[in-house]
């Protein structure tokens, strides 16, 4: 490929691809919940404000920028972080250079990541970034994790030798210090990100696998100190800023956050780990047909290769065996399609989730192999240094294991965070292919045939899997919008009457009901915009879309993390204050027919009791379509 592709076309495509859906979809839950928090920062729970401090402060700043006062504008501004994550990975990994293991004394170096594979891996990562970009506590988490990972890889690549003239020590110190800064800053993006301190373990492994000579303890301590100092600098500076700008205690936030799991079992450590393990167990069961078909292909290829060698190098039988093995892989992916492991419903996750999980499991296996001497045997070496490859494999494994911790979203966070996982997995796949090829050249007889068969099957199966994920992911990226799959006509309606959602494409029912809600509220409460409201029914984004500040401590009281006792206490405070905020109930009779249309029956009863005791009257009712009803109440 030409330098035009590497230097301009690939980066340009990665820059623009995240913006294809910025005008698509109007979700009244997670997406606009984040925007409600940024808009009404002073109204949200101090615990949540501090637990996700940096995204909230940044989001509150972005909504004041030109275009930031609309959903379309915020989609655009926040998608810049997705583009930036891909660009950091592309240029950071492409610019990485490591010394050859074949001649460690030489100053010559080579680039381990090819631009073509980098582009494919990052294109897939952008395709599969399903999370709304405006949810900055996710978007920033993945951005800073990727930056930290790239910096650690550059640190691994720096020689350990003292070379003050070339500034090697200073460069190595800078990379580790900067990585520590990113990891420390990420704690203030989302408090559970504190677990990312485990990435520093990769620095220790980088020294533990030194193959040329045992490094001095002082060098190890210096590298660890650089990471830890950077981490502490970020912690201290952020804590000082928080203490100067907030009346709440960060320590109290931690206590409240840990206590929150009493009412939200899916946020407990056991609940999260169980969910993650269940995801892997499901995918492993779906891999069983692959094990049998690939084993059959392996036996066919090995036998054909051995027979060809014994007959003086005839390749026809081997070619036919390879065609048969490819057909077996095609049959495997056909079985996956007919059994629903992947679908053509590109408005939902099932078109891509399980194939991606299979790819993640392959990455785990490659990472485990890469941390051992299996891929780095000296015989037949191609110059790729274990002193870089093994800690890189460790970093890959840490990325996969750490990413879903702190979330109750199964393993979906890993699918969001592939910007460094896929490039490293492709690097190790390339290394595994090279290792099998090298060993097959020095082996003899059946052993050599088995190694060649294994290499062919590995590349054919992995290549087919990557191609499937590439195609499915691209179509998913073009069609999917979180929380708004549209209707049978897609997202054919354009909102015109809601200033904050003007120009957004959504389903006809969604557009009609939201605009009718605005009209009904204006008729019942002239000038209601800017007045406090209590909205219940898994629709926190209505605070943002209808420009109604929350009357409670949160715009989403339905959440399990907002305990029933806390909601009860907030309603009692409303009664005592004599305030009568506008109340809007969203009831989904299709999903929750036995609990008055509410996801939380107990909290729903508390709200209904509050309406009765406070003398509220129903002002209007709007049919939201698909079993959803909006009811407005005034005192």
């Amino acid at each position: 490929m030409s330098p035009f592709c590497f230097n301009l076309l690939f980066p340009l495509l990665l820059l623009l691809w995240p913006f294809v859906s910025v005008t698509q979809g109007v979700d009244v839950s997670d997406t606009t919940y984040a925007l409600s928090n940024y808009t009404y920062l002073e109204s949200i729970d101090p615990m949540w404000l501090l637990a996700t401090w940096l995204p909230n402060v940044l989001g509150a700043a972005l909504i004041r920028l030109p275009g930031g006062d609309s959903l379309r504008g915020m989609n655009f501004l926040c998608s810049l972080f997705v583009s930036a994550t891909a660009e950091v990975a592309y240029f950071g990994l492409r610019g990485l250079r490591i010394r050859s293991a074949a001649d460690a004394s030489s100053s010559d170096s080579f680039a381990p990541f090819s631009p073509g594979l980098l582009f494919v891996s990052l294109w897939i990562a952008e395709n599969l970034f399903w999370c709304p970009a405006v949810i900055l506590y996710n978007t920033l988490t993945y951005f800073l994790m990727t930056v930290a990972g790239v910096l650690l890889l550059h640190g691994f690549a720096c020689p350990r030798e003292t070379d003050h003239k070339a500034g090697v020590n200073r460069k190595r110190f800078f990379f580790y210090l900067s990585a520590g800064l990113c990891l420390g800053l990420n704690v203030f993006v989302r408090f559970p990100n504190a677990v990312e301190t485990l990435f520093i373990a990769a620095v220790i492994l980088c020294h533990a696998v030194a193959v040329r000579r045992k490094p001095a303890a002082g060098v190890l301590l210096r590298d660890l100190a650089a990471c830890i100092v950077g981490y502490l600098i970020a912690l201290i500076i952020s804590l000082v800023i928080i203490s100067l700008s907030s009346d709440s205690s960060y320590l109290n936030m931690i206590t409240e956050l840990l206590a929150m799991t009493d009412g939200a079992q899916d946020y407990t450590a056991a609940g999260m780990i169980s969910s993650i393990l269940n995801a892997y167990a499901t995918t492993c069961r779906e891999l069983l047909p692959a094990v049998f078909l690939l084993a059959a292909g392996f036996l066919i290829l090995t036998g054909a290769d051995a027979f060809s060698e014994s007959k003086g190098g005839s390749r026809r039988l081997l070619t036919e065996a390879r065609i048969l093995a490819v057909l077996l892989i095609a049959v495997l992916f056909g079985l996956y399609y007919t059994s629903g492991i992947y679908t053509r419903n590109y408005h939902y996750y099932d078109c891509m989730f399980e194939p991606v999980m299979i790819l993640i499991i392959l990455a785990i296996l490659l990472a485990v192999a890469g941390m051992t001497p299996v891929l780095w045997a000296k015989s037949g070496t191609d110059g790729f240094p274990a002193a870089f490859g093994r800690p890189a494999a460790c970093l890959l494994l840490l990325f996969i294991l750490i990413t879903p911790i702190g979330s109750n979203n199964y393993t979906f966070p890993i699918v969001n965070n592939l910007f460094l996982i896929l490039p490293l997995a492709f690097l190790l796949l390339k290394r595994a292919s090279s290792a099998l090829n090298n060993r097959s050249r020095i082996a003899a007889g059946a052993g050599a045939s088995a190694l060649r068969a294994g290499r062919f099957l590995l590349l054919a199966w992995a290549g087919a899997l990557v191609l499937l994920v590439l195609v499915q992911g691209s179509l998913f990226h073009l069609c999917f919008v979180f929380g708004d799959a549209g209707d049978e006509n897609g997202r054919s309606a354009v909102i015109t009457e809601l200033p904050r959602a003007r120009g957004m494409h959504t389903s006809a029912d969604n557009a009609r009901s939201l605009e009718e809600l605005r009209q009904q509220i204006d008729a019942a409460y002239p000038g209601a915009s800017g007045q406090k409201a209590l909205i219940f029914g898994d629709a926190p984004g209505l605070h943002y879309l209808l420009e109604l500040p929350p009357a409670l401590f949160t715009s989403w009281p339905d959440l399990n993390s907002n305990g029933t006792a806390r909601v009860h206490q907030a309603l009692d405070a409303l009664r005592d204050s004599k305030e009568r905020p506008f109340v809007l109930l969203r009831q989904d009779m299709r999903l929750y027919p036995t609990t008055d249309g509410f996801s939380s029956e107990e909290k729903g009863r508390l709200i209904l009791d509050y309406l009765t005791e406070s003398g509220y009257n129903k002002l209007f009712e709007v049919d939201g379509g698909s079993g959803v009803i909006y009811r407005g109440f005034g005192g």
Side-chain angles (χ1 to χ4, degrees), residues 233-253:
I233 288 174
L235 287 183
I236 292 169
I237 291 176
S238 299
L239 285 172
V240 169
I241 294 173
I242 288 173
S243 64
L244 293 176
S245 60
S246 174
D247 296 329
S248 302
S249 164
Y250 201 80
L251 186 59
N252 288 342
M253 177 277 295

Side-chain angles (χ1 to χ4, degrees), residues 142-195:
Y142 306 135
F143 172 72
L144 288 172
M145 281 180 73
T146 301
V147 174
V150 169
L151 289 167
L152 285 172
L153 287 171
H154 276 270
F156 299 157
C158 280
R160 293 179 178 82
E161 291 81 6
T162 301
D163 187 352
H164 294 291
K165 290 183 180 179
V168 170
N169 281 337
R170 289 192 295 273
K171 283 176 61 179
R172 190 178 176 90
F173 182 85
F174 167 79
F175 288 133
Y176 286 140
L177 179 73
S178 300
L181 282 168
C182 291
L183 296 175
L185 194 59
N186 225 354
V187 175
F188 298 93
V189 172
R190 192 176 64 121
F191 179 73
N193 290 345
V195 75

